């Protein structure tokens, strides 16, 4: 088996020079370009799938967003009308504000909790770690409808959460968590935290495994405590994982719909409305496909913007890890000239 | 470097991205010249009129055909008896029935009807979101000739056809041509737990005044008066509509729901009803945490003995034990409506078979089967309840239909009315919004929806 892998991988590389005539050693660029042709064949199915099921619908959404269209009768062009409607809609401002609150619960909190757990596990040897990881990761696998129904029951006025409050003498705090104007949004937020922190933790744990144990030993010899160790070694080393975790959780937070639809439908009142709720309502209830598309596209751009900001903020700066990539830099210069 | 460029015949590595972006741009550029939905033409304008009830011989002329149908899965128990009987009477027709959950049906049926191979007979939903769209796009066949041929216009339940009548452009309903028919009726009212009432020494309420007298007594006895689950935001709007219907003429409510010009939601009757909802909520008549409980959960809790009253409608009755619970209408000749109507596709090629199926649904025999399967029929001639709860619900319905005053549901009036009214009513009940503000918000939404039509 060990010899099989290289030989199957070879043809793509060896065929490259012969395709270009074989007169001289192929330059890196030539190799790259011929490689991309053949590799394109490999990715072609995925690319076709991506085009049909992702790019094409996005294109359709952009197209619809410039029309008043009910999905049946001929649409009338409205120019940027749908977009101005999105930006002047008072309901959406409140919804966006709710999204920002949820960003704390869906992204910031899970990352913090995940870091805390991963940091603690990096110091102690945990027996049955795989089992822990699997159990804590479980919320990620569950269908969000199942999650919503389960939490609706847990958080009900006479549900288990309130039973715990009453049992420890905090009965006056017991309330219908999802039905109370003041607690509904944070409650939905905490459900999101529960769903996401397992993912963050597993990501961080996998990152910690790659950290050289000797750096911890060195830090300990220098007299660093657990807190110092965490901030000096673990946290900086986890930068790429934190970046990935934030991209995933921020996207989840901003496009969240199913959890809210299946717990509160945006209520009570409008305390838990989010933009994606209005995308659904406009598209499927109000048959305003143009307006729903415009809102969905604005929402996509907002998510992209936030993700880019996160990526830039957590971009790896010049550091010891970068050293390994340095030799390639001259090549790049040649390519770009 | 030049030679490398020449020899590197392949495109640069950003080629896939560039290709995708170009494709997208091309699509957009092409899209720029024609609006979405252009090029579709409404089909089947030349369907023959029905002048007499369809005979098996006429249906047989179609040859071996399939009648394709879409139905709410709530129809399944009824269809189990109707479809085999139909296939026996019309042996050349095979019924191909697709069931959808109500939410799924409402979200997809319009697109299915506008597709290249639409079902011949399907259920829509009253109001602008579904039926209005179907009529506007001319996807469903007018049924005036069918209704005349079968005598639906003069028989029992004739008034239940009103919500399926539309003007030709699908912008107003309640009057005009008939586009659908529902064999199922619904009546709103109050369910009570007989044992609890006995314990408290109370008699079943026969009117809203009775109920208002009972509520403080039940509360004082330490029981939850009304079981309510309002997390879906619609259960409370049904209670509101019961209260509102006792305060004003059913005709005025119907006019407003139908979108008639000059009507308004800002009426003293609605203001009083909103005030009562806030008052009842404040006094704890709905218990606590009702906004965090789904309507389905509330019904099952009520069925298990929590709460003394449940204000809802006949659609809630199927899960209640007829021996333990009773039903009464709070308003005589007030709230209630018909369920999702059936439509015949304008492009159906087996229209006679579809008409025959519709007719089979609109008979006293099917009416009895509808009641037996836990729902209420439009055709009530000779239909008898199998237990007291069924009989009580049927009586309430008969009184409502006899008075000709089924008002329908508020959410028919605009596609987003359920969200607007449901959400605002939650605010009223929690004391966060005044009744006046609630009425104004509802009326604003009604006006906006009307202007767009």
């Amino acid at each position: 088996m060990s010899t099989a892998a290289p030989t199957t991988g070879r043809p793509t590389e060896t065929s490259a020079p012969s395709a270009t005539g074989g007169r001289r050693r192929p330059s890196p660029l030539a190799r790259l370009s011929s490689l991309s042709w053949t590799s394109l064949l490999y990715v072609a199915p995925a690319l076709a799938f991506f085009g049909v099921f992702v790019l094409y619908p996005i294109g359709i959404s952009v197209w619809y967003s410039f029309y008043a269209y009910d999905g049946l009768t001929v649409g009338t062009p409205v120019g940027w009308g749908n977009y101005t409607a999105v930006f002047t809609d008072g309901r959406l401002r409140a919804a966006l504000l709710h999204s920002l609150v949820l960003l704390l619960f869906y992204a910031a909190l899970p990352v913090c909790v995940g870091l805390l757990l991963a940091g603690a596990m990096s110091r102690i040897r945990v027996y049955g770690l795989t089992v822990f990881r699997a159990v804590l990761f479980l919320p990620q696998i569950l269908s969000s409808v199942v999650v919503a129904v389960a939490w609706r029951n847990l958080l009900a006025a006479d549900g288990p959460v309130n039973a715990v409050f009453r049992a420890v003498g905090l009965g006056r705090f017991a309330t219908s968590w999802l039905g109370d104007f003041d607690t509904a949004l944070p409650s939905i937020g905490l459900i999101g935290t529960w769903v996401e922190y397992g993912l963050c933790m597993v990501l961080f744990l996998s990152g910690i495994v790659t950290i050289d144990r000797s750096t911890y030993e060195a830090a300990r010899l220098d007299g660093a405590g657990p807190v110092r160790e965490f901030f000096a070694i673990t946290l900086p080393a986890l930068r790429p994982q934190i970046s990935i975790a934030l991209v995933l959780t921020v996207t989840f937070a901003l496009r969240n719909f199913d959890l809210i639809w299946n717990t509160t439908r945006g209520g009570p009142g409008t305390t838990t409305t989010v933009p994606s709720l209005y995308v659904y309502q406009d598209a499927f209830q109000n048959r305003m496909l143009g307006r729903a598309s415009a809102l969905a596209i604005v929402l996509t751009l907002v998510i992209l913007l936030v993700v880019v900001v996160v990526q830039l903020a957590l971009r790896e700066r010049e550091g010891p890890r970068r050293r390994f990539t340095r030799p390639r830099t001259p090549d790049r210069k040649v390519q770009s000239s | 470097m030049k030679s490398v460029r020449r020899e590197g015949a392949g495109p640069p590595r950003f080629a896939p991205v560039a290709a995708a972006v170009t494709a997208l741009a091309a699509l957009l550029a092409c899209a720029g010249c024609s609006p979405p939905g252009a090029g579709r033409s409404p089909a089947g304008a030349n369907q023959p009129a029905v002048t007499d009830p369809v005979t098996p011989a006429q249906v047989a002329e179609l040859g071996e055909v399939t009648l394709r149908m879409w139905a709410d899965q709530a129809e399944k128990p009824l269809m189990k008896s109707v479809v085999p009987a139909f296939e026996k009477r019309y042996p050349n027709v095979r019924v191909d029935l697709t069931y959808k959950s109500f939410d799924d049906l409402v979200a997809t049926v319009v697109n299915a009807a506008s597709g290249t191979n639409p079902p011949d007979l399907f259920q829509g939903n009253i109001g602008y979101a579904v039926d209005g769209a179907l009529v506007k796009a001319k996807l469903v066949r007018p049924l005036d000739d069918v209704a005349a041929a079968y005598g639906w216009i003069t028989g029992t339940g004739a008034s239940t056809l009103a919500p399926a009548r539309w003007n030709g452009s699908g912008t107003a309903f309640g009057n005009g041509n008939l586009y659908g028919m529902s064999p199922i009726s619904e009546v709103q009212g109050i369910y009570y737990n007989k044992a609890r009432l006995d314990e408290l020494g109370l008699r079943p309420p026969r009117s809203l005044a009775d109920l208002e007298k009972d509520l403080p007594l039940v509360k004082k006895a330490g029981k939850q008066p009304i079981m309510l689950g309002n997390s879906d935001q619609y259960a409370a709007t049904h209670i509101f509509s019961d209260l509102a219907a006792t305060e004003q003429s059913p005709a005025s409510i119907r006019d407003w729901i139908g979108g008639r010009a000059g009507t308004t939601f800002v009426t003293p009757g609605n203001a009083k009803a909103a005030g009562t909802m806030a008052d009842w909520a404040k006094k704890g008549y709905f218990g606590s945490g009702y906004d965090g409980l789904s309507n389905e959960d509330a019904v099952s809790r009520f069925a298990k003995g929590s709460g003394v009253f449940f204000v809802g409608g006949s659609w809630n009755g199927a899960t209640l034990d007829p021996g333990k619970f009773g039903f009464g209408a709070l308003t005589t000749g007030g709230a209630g409506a018909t369920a999702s109507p059936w439509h015949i596709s304008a492009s159906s090629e087996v229209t006679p078979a579809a008409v025959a199926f519709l007719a089979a649904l609109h008979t006293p025999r099917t009416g009895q089967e509808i009641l037996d399967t836990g729902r209420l029929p439009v055709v009530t001639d000779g239909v008898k309840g199998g237990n007291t709860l069924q009989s009580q619900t049927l009586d309430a319905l008969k009184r409502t239909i006899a008075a000709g005053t089924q008002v329908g549901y508020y959410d028919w009036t605009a596609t987003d009315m359920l969200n607007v009214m449901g959400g605002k009513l939650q605010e009223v009940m929690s004391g966060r919004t005044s009744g006046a503000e609630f009425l104004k918000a509802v009326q604003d939404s009604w006006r906006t929806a009307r202007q767009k039509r």
Side-chain angles (χ1 to χ4, degrees), chain A residues 37 63 75 158 176 181 268-269 285-286, chain B residues 10-11 31 36 289 301 415 419 426 430:
Chain A
W37 262 123
W63 177 30
D158 53 357
S176 170
F181 279 74
Q285 294 183 342
N286 302 337
Chain B
R301 280 170 198 219
T415 51
N419 308 113
Q426 285 180 320
S430 69

Side-chain angles (χ1 to χ4, degrees), chain A residues 23-24 27 37 40 55 59 63-64 67 69 71-72 74-75 158 176 179 181-182 264 267-270 281 285-287 337, chain B residues 3-4 7 10-11 20 24 28 31 34-36 40 110-111 114 129 133 231 233 289 291-292 301 415-416 419 423 426 430 432:
Chain A
R23 273 172 299 175
R24 59 159 110 167
S27 79
W37 262 123
L40 204 61
L55 287 180
W63 177 30
Y64 282 5
Y67 290 87
Y69 182 44
L72 298 170
V74 180
D158 53 357
S176 170
F181 279 74
D182 299 317
T264 63
T270 52
Q281 286 180 357
Q285 294 183 342
N286 302 337
R287 303 204 71 82
S337 67
Chain B
S3 62
V4 172
E7 280 178 20
L24 200 64
L28 292 176
S34 71
R40 278 185 201 164
V110 178
N111 292 340
S114 73
S231 70
Q233 300 190 329
D291 277 338
R301 280 170 198 219
T415 51
D416 61 347
N419 308 113
Q426 285 180 320
S430 69
R432 280 164 196 257

Side-chain angles (χ1 to χ4, degrees), chain A residues 209-234:
Chain A
V209 172
T210 64
I211 302 175
D212 193 346
R213 303 307 292 179
S214 62
T215 51
Y216 283 108
E217 279 161 31
R220 269 172 227 177
L221 283 176
D222 286 345
V227 177
R228 186 71 191 271
E229 198 180 288
F230 176 77
F231 283 104
I233 301 172
T234 315

Side-chain angles (χ1 to χ4, degrees), chain A residues 9-160:
Chain A
R10 183 136 299 172
T12 40
E13 282 179 46
T14 48
S15 66
S18 63
T20 51
R23 273 172 299 175
R24 59 159 110 167
R25 270 177 63 103
S27 79
L29 181 62
R31 200 164 65 209
L32 187 82
S33 48
S34 53
L35 248 181
S36 64
W37 262 123
T38 37
S39 56
L40 204 61
L41 269 178
Y42 287 96
V43 296
L47 207 64
F49 196 83
F50 183 73
V52 171
F53 292 103
V54 178
L55 287 180
Y56 179 69
I58 291 177
I60 292 280
S61 291
V62 174
W63 177 30
Y64 282 5
S65 70
F66 293 101
Y67 290 87
Y69 182 44
D70 63 1
L72 298 170
T73 49
V74 180
T76 39
V78 291
W80 293 93
N82 285 325
Y83 289 91
T84 51
V86 164
F87 286 105
T88 51
D89 192 333
R91 302 173 310 167
L92 281 174
R93 238 162 287 146
L96 209 58
L97 213 63
H98 299 152
S99 274
L100 291 181
V101 175
L102 288 182
L103 217 48
L104 279 182
F105 284 98
Y106 283 38
L109 212 53
V111 167
C112 292
V113 173
L115 276 174
L116 199 73
L117 288 174
M121 285 185 180
S122 72
R123 280 190 67 83
I124 47 166
R125 189 173 192 77
V126 184
Y127 290 99
L129 185 64
T130 329
V131 178
F132 269 114
R133 259 193 290 201
V135 169
L136 292 175
F137 194 69
L138 204 63
Q140 272 292 315
I141 306 161
L142 290 177
S143 139
S144 53
V145 178
V146 173
V147 171
V149 171
W151 277 96
R152 215 169 57 197
N153 289 323
L154 288 173
L155 294 170
D158 53 357

Side-chain angles (χ1 to χ4, degrees), chain B residues 125-128 131-132 135 157-167 172-182 254 257-258 336-339 341 343 406-409 412:
Chain B
N125 195 35
I126 297 168
Y128 291 98
D131 281 4
V135 172
S159 67
T160 63
L161 297 174
R165 292 186 179 279
W166 287 84
N167 68 354
F173 69 98
N175 284 299
N177 289 340
L178 184 70
Y179 283 94
M181 188 281 288
S182 172
R254 239 193 341 249
I257 290 175
T338 44
H343 303 284
Q406 284 190 311
V407 293
Y409 302 125
W412 292 350

Side-chain angles (χ1 to χ4, degrees), chain B residues 74-125:
Chain B
E75 308 291 338
K76 214 171 190 169
L78 177 65
M79 289 300 146
K80 269 185 182 164
S81 60
V82 173
V83 170
F86 178 82
E87 285 178 328
K88 203 175 163 199
R89 187 167 153 83
Y90 303 96
N92 62 316
V93 182
R94 194 180 69 81
V95 174
D96 174 14
L97 188 46
T98 306
Y99 293 108
K100 298 254 166 188
S101 76
F102 178 75
D103 283 348
D104 193 16
L105 178 81
V106 169
T108 56
V109 74
V110 178
N111 292 340
S114 73
T116 46
N117 191 15
D120 301 295
L121 187 62
F122 51 88
Q123 284 186 288
N125 195 35

